[in-house]
Amino acid sequence: MLQNPKRYTITAALPYTNGPIHIGHLAGVYVPSDIYSRYLRLQGRDVLFVCGSDEHGVAISMKAKKEGITPQEVIDKYDGIIRKSFSDFGISFDNYSRTSAKIHHDTASDFFTTLYKKGDFIEQVTEQLYDAKADQFLADRFVVGTCPKCGNEEAYGDQCEKCGSTLNATDLINPKSTITGETPIMKSTKHWFLPLDRYEDFLKEWILVGHKNDWKPNVYGQVKSWIDGGLEPRAVTRDLDWGIDVPVEGAEGKKLYVWFDAPIGYISSTKEWALREGKEWEPYWKDQDTKLVHFIGKDNIVFHCIIFPAMLKAEGSYILPDNVPANEFLNLEGNKLSTSKNWAVWLHEYLEEFPNQQDVLRYALTSNAPETKDNDFTWKDFQARNNNELVAIYGNFINRVVVLTNKYYNGIVPQPNELSEVDEATLTELKAYPAVISSSLERYRFREALGELMNVARLGNKYLADEEPWKVIKDNPERVQTQMYVALQIAAALSSLCEPFLPFTATKLSRILKIESPLSWNTISENSDLIAAGHQIGEAELLFAKIEDEEIQKQIDKLEATKTANKAENKVVESQKELIQFDDFAKMDLRVGTILEATKMPKANKLLILKVDTGIDVRTIVSGIAESFKPEDIIGKKVTVLVNLAPRNLRGVESQGMILMTTNAEEKLVFVNPDADAANGETIN
């Protein structure tokens, strides 16, 4: 672990431009990387924070085929949405690039050419999956099948999203083409492979020995499992029509594999930034005094901890990552987030539906971050964290301090008198918090760091609750001057300490306190006079607003609608039964009827005893619908009745017919109803 680096290069995983950004992306990558970058800037460090759109993945081609548009149209659409979402949400990238940019194509091609000329690739003809109907080789994501490791029947050709295993398309059991649904055949094709097995000893020494104590256990464990299982050569080219051309002879129609070109996007984004800012890019990637940190989700661990480092090692002039603090997955209301199934909270929609509440989502995602295990986001928890923590603790403290300062002193910070032991202890505790928060952030424990930030607000609330200046003001106004001075120091400290986590709140609080430039963490640690006596503050404003139940229910209903739509879309329709003749159908006597009575069958959970007016007679029908309907809700219901079904005895009750039912998208029983004006006894034919 590099101590006291001259500069930091921080990368955030390049998002695929086949859809917008959702909360899983934010919790796994973009919020923690932004917190870390903002924190380092407040420390006065030289920080470069880069990212960009990943525009060459097979997912792009799949999206284009599905929507009947070109890949370029797909990436232009979603790059715009993603950029605006990141900007509106306050993700403070120094540069956000695109892998479709010329500077990236040139950088990736040069990188490949360097390794090619050094003889680092293996050129090999292999058997690959080929869709004969579509007349094309199938890249990883164009194949689905059964995972050989966990049995998931919907695994992709590069990865099983259920067990997290990284795969080759040829590993899948019963593979199917996602283009045509056909079973692919094997066909020969030539590709270039990076021989990862050559780097096993290097990776063992660098990671398993060198980073045993400072990398997160979930990252270290996954890397160790891969290395212990033995590394094999991995293709860096693909048979595709979208991506960066392989820059060698004999490679016509082949593109660089997205997981070769995508991480190089960090380098090309740095080059783009350096050109714009008039700086040198190489120190941020080639100087041993630079600390390189990759923020990713757990599905990208193998690429950032094995494949990309092997590429950098092969090239020879680049530094290696000091840490890869990957997070686990965030689920949504108990189910896995899914872009394709629209089971997500989309960032651009959140920003529209919860205007000016970016920090509430940042807070909720950080306090529930999946740092060591998968976690679950629920709207009720989101509401509780806002109302019970941000509003009731942080916002409450600031509001009381500002209101009382304006009430007692017209908004002017009072001159303190002699400090009591409680005052001294409170200010001493305040000075300790920057180091405590820093310790957590330096170890990538963002949840823990956020908890310590909230403890600063709790310190302020406790101080005011114990000191009760609103009572003391009557008999000892001189004492209240000191109390309010101390409370204002805590408020001033919060305006800077919260900036990495809650940047919009920090700006608003600084405006209320009229603090023009952020206080450095060293100042907070060393100085008790953070906001001087005589300083004029502004009027009180609420930092956070209570979120009502109606707003949360709207979001829950929105997800339920998505769930229903998914069920309807994925509902498997039963195959047509064997053909019958008209005479077979004519034997059935279907009539319009009305339910007159409905009672539960004793000691039977599923059965209702119905009295039905069929127009012919009033008869008893026993129906297995008790788990779907209350008896009182179906009295008077028009129904379709098969009246000439042979009677059947059910639990001592003779049933004389059958009610026609079906199921809806939610798998709930519904009546197959005649029109309301059809009379009882009318035949259906």
Side-chain angles (χ1 to χ4, degrees):
M1 192 164 99
L2 185 60
Q3 302 294 331
N4 300 314
K6 285 185 178 179
R7 66 191 68 79
Y8 290 78
T9 300
I10 301 167
T11 73
L14 309 185
Y16 281 131
T17 45
N18 67 325
I21 295 297
H22 60 57
I23 57 170
H25 302 130
L26 295 172
V29 177
Y30 304 109
V31 170
S33 59
D34 189 58
I35 291 172
Y36 189 64
S37 299
R38 287 176 177 274
Y39 156 70
L40 290 173
R41 293 191 195 108
L42 279 175
Q43 297 284 70
R45 305 299 183 91
D46 182 354
V47 176
L48 175 66
F49 181 26
V50 295
C51 190
S53 292
D54 182 354
E55 302 179 342
H56 294 139
V58 176
I60 309 297
S61 299
M62 292 175 70
K63 186 83 170 181
K65 286 181 183 294
K66 184 177 180 179
E67 297 187 4
I69 58 178
T70 66
Q72 189 67 47
E73 289 175 302
V74 171
I75 64 176
D76 288 346
K77 172 184 176 181
Y78 288 111
D79 176 71
I81 293 173
I82 291 169
R83 281 174 185 269
K84 186 176 188 306
S85 296
F86 279 146
S87 176
D88 291 347
F89 195 60
I91 303 298
S92 59
F93 298 123
D94 292 296
N95 197 63
Y96 188 86
S97 189
R98 306 180 65 167
T99 60
S100 61
K102 183 178 185 301
I103 195 168
H104 176 70
H105 277 240
D106 292 344
T107 302
S109 294
D110 290 346
F111 201 106
F112 181 93
T113 302
T114 298
L115 269 58
Y116 178 79
K117 289 180 177 179
K118 291 174 66 175
D120 284 311
F121 294 131
I122 298 171
E123 188 176 313
Q124 191 174 338
V125 175
T126 61
E127 295 286 304
Q128 298 290 322
L129 295 177
Y130 182 83
D131 186 331
K133 187 174 182 180
D135 190 25
Q136 72 175 72
F137 283 98
L138 297 175
D140 308 328
R141 290 267 159 166
F142 282 124
V143 188
V144 293
T146 301
C147 173
K149 299 185 179 180
C150 76
N152 172 27
E153 295 180 354
E154 297 181 354
Y156 290 109
D158 61 344
Q159 189 172 53
C160 174
E161 295 190 350
K162 184 174 182 180
C163 69
S165 298
T166 301
L167 306 168
N168 288 309
T170 50
D171 296 333
L172 294 175
I173 301 166
N174 300 322
K176 297 286 184 184
S177 166
T178 62
I179 302 172
T180 64
E182 298 288 314
T183 299
I185 61 174
M186 300 299 290
K187 188 173 180 179
S188 297
T189 184
K190 180 173 68 175
H191 283 293
W192 285 262
F193 290 74
L194 181 66
L196 294 175
D197 47 318
R198 291 183 194 169
Y199 300 94
E200 272 196 30
D201 290 342
F202 148 69
L203 291 167
K204 285 179 182 177
E205 181 65 26
W206 173 55
I207 299 175
L208 301 189
V209 176
H211 288 292
K212 185 174 184 178
N213 297 319
D214 63 309
W215 280 23
K216 292 171 68 172
N218 58 315
V219 178
Y220 184 88
Q222 190 177 135
V223 174
K224 187 176 187 303
S225 176
W226 259 78
I227 295 174
D228 289 348
L231 300 178
E232 298 176 355
R234 190 171 183 88
V236 297
T237 60
R238 285 289 189 270
D239 291 289
L240 287 170
D241 57 4
W242 177 252
I244 299 174
D245 293 331
V246 178
V248 297
E249 284 189 30
E252 291 73 20
K254 300 183 188 297
K255 308 293 183 182
L256 295 182
Y257 178 33
V258 67
W259 270 113
F260 182 88
D261 106 71
I264 296 172
Y266 303 138
I267 301 170
S268 59
S269 186
T270 303
K271 288 183 176 180
E272 190 176 78
W273 165 82
L275 283 171
R276 185 183 69 242
E277 301 295 327
K279 297 190 176 185
E280 295 293 324
W281 72 270
E282 289 192 330
Y284 291 88
W285 281 95
K286 297 188 176 184
D287 191 317
Q288 293 301 319
D289 285 329
T290 297
K291 184 170 184 172
L292 173 62
V293 183
H294 296 310
F295 283 87
I296 58 168
K298 71 176 179 182
D299 52 335
N300 290 337
I301 288 174
V302 65
F303 300 106
H304 285 78
C305 298
I306 292 179
I307 296 175
F308 190 41
M311 291 164 53
L312 296 174
K313 183 71 172 176
E315 199 280 342
S317 66
Y318 287 85
I319 58 173
L320 298 170
D322 186 83
N323 211 313
V324 186
N327 275 350
E328 299 293 292
F329 288 151
L330 185 73
N331 297 320
L332 172 60
E333 299 285 355
N335 294 305
K336 185 174 181 179
L337 282 154
S338 173
T339 298
S340 61
K341 295 177 181 177
N342 195 32
W343 188 254
V345 176
W346 302 106
L347 179 54
H348 67 292
E349 291 182 358
Y350 172 87
L351 293 170
E352 292 171 1
E353 293 164 1
F354 291 90
N356 302 315
Q357 296 188 73
Q358 299 96 322
D359 282 351
V360 180
L361 185 57
R362 289 177 69 109
Y363 182 84
L365 294 177
T366 305
S367 57
N368 191 35
E371 292 179 348
T372 54
K373 63 180 180 64
D374 291 357
N375 274 351
D376 193 41
F377 176 93
T378 69
W379 279 110
K380 290 290 187 184
D381 180 70
F382 167 85
Q383 180 188 26
R385 291 188 185 279
N386 177 77
N387 294 353
N388 302 338
E389 297 172 24
L390 289 176
V391 173
I393 298 172
Y394 193 128
N396 179 57
F397 169 66
I398 295 299
N399 189 59
R400 287 202 289 180
V401 171
V402 176
V403 167
L404 291 175
T405 303
N406 276 283
K407 181 178 180 180
Y408 299 154
Y409 312 112
N410 295 318
I412 297 173
V413 178
Q415 182 69 44
N417 295 298
E418 184 178 354
L419 298 178
S420 70
E421 287 187 14
V422 171
D423 301 334
E424 295 279 10
T426 300
L427 292 173
T428 298
E429 187 175 347
L430 178 62
K431 289 179 181 179
Y433 272 107
V436 171
I437 296 171
S438 289
S439 175
S440 297
L441 291 176
E442 294 286 359
R443 291 174 292 138
Y444 311 103
R445 296 181 178 180
F446 300 100
R447 234 172 34 204
E448 182 179 277
L450 182 62
E452 295 297 347
L453 170 71
M454 289 302 290
N455 284 338
V456 179
R458 289 186 177 94
L459 173 69
N461 272 323
K462 184 178 186 306
Y463 179 79
L464 286 180
D466 291 347
E467 294 297 299
E468 298 182 311
W470 46 88
K471 291 183 179 179
V472 178
I473 191 73
K474 298 173 185 176
D475 302 318
N476 193 352
E478 293 81 10
R479 173 63 190 147
V480 174
Q481 287 181 222
T482 307
Q483 292 170 338
M484 294 311 302
Y485 173 83
V486 171
L488 282 160
Q489 304 314 306
I490 299 172
L494 279 170
S495 72
S496 277
L497 293 177
C498 82
E499 200 275 345
F501 309 94
L502 309 171
F504 295 90
T505 302
T507 299
K508 191 172 183 180
L509 180 52
S510 294
R511 187 180 71 245
I512 292 170
L513 298 177
K514 295 188 176 180
I515 297 174
E516 294 184 2
S517 56
L519 301 166
S520 75
W521 286 34
N522 287 339
T523 299
I524 298 170
S525 297
E526 298 166 1
N527 192 348
S528 295
D529 193 33
L530 304 177
I531 185 167
H535 176 85
Q536 176 75 56
I537 69 169
E539 295 291 329
E541 296 178 46
L542 290 180
L543 288 183
F544 307 100
K546 186 178 179 183
I547 295 175
E548 302 297 339
D549 292 344
E550 294 76 18
E551 298 175 78
I552 296 303
Q553 191 57 50
K554 181 180 176 182
Q555 297 302 320
I556 294 172
D557 292 344
K558 186 176 175 181
L559 287 173
E560 285 301 316
T562 294
K563 191 180 290 184
T564 300
N566 284 336
K567 285 181 178 177
E569 185 176 338
N570 298 323
K571 187 176 177 66
V572 177
V573 179
E574 292 183 19
S575 301
Q576 178 180 300
K577 296 179 180 179
E578 292 182 10
L579 290 174
I580 62 171
Q581 300 302 313
F582 178 78
D583 290 344
D584 296 319
F585 172 73
K587 291 177 183 177
M588 292 192 298
D589 191 350
L590 298 170
R591 303 282 181 126
V592 175
T594 301
I595 298 174
L596 302 178
E597 299 177 16
T599 58
K600 284 191 174 182
M601 172 78 79
K603 299 180 181 180
N605 295 329
K606 295 183 179 180
L607 301 179
L608 290 183
I609 303 172
L610 309 177
K611 292 288 186 183
V612 182
D613 181 355
T614 67
I616 304 169
D617 52 24
V618 175
R619 63 178 65 188
T620 299
I621 296 176
V622 179
S623 185
I625 61 174
E627 292 181 332
S628 300
F629 300 98
K630 295 178 181 178
E632 60 269 23
D633 292 342
I634 60 173
I635 293 173
K637 190 82 174 174
K638 287 278 188 182
V639 292
T640 302
V641 188
L642 178 61
V643 295
N644 64 335
L645 184 68
R648 184 181 177 191
N649 192 288
L650 295 169
R651 292 181 175 263
V653 178
E654 186 176 72
S655 180
Q656 300 170 308
M658 184 174 287
I659 307 292
L660 269 60
M661 311 288 294
T662 188
T663 55
N664 63 13
E666 298 175 336
E667 301 298 325
K668 292 181 179 178
L669 285 173
V670 291
F671 290 99
V672 177
N673 290 331
D675 287 340
D677 58 357
N680 291 343
E682 292 290 340
T683 58
I684 298 170
N685 51 46

